[in-house]
Amino acid sequence: IHGRVTFGPTCPVERMPPDPNCVPKPYVTTVQVINIASSNSAPFATVKTDSSGNYSVTVPAGYYAFQPVSGTVFPRCETKQAMVTAGTPLVIDLLCDSGIR
């Protein structure tokens, strides 16, 4: 599994056409990978994003939740769930809400 974690919005007002300086930015954080089928509440794996917000992790087949950890109220990060099958690459991009309005 690989993907990218970003946060946005980065500007208080969205404009039409969109301002290229206001696109979501890479977010350096830790992504928790939780095996949903497991009775263990601890993350199955954790992976750190790079400076571009990219991450990559290898897990066995199963049903997982992917959760970026912000450690504060904002950014508030989404959780995505996915079924992982053996030998099938999967892209899971995650967005963290900056709270800017």
Side-chain angles (χ1 to χ4, degrees):
I1 295 110
H2 65 276
R4 186 169 188 233
V5 181
T6 55
F7 75 94
T10 57
C11 296
V13 178
E14 290 188 34
R15 299 186 186 343
M16 283 305 186
D19 182 342
N21 294 318
C22 295
V23 298
K25 306 285 189 239
Y27 187 48
V28 176
T29 189
T30 299
V31 176
Q32 294 180 337
V33 182
I34 301 161
N35 185 338
I36 294 173
S38 172
S39 60
N40 184 354
S41 62
F44 177 81
T46 58
V47 60
K48 190 91 166 143
T49 61
D50 65 16
S51 61
S52 297
N54 298 309
Y55 72 95
S56 179
V57 63
T58 301
V59 297
Y63 193 47
Y64 297 90
F66 299 84
Q67 171 68 54
V69 179
S70 71
T72 59
V73 175
F74 283 101
R76 184 171 300 147
C77 301
E78 69 180 339
T79 298
K80 286 189 179 177
Q81 298 179 358
M83 177 62 74
V84 176
T85 55
T88 305
L90 190 59
V91 177
I92 301 176
D93 292 329
L94 300 160
L95 179 63
C96 296
D97 182 348
S98 67
I100 297 173
R101 298 287 180 264

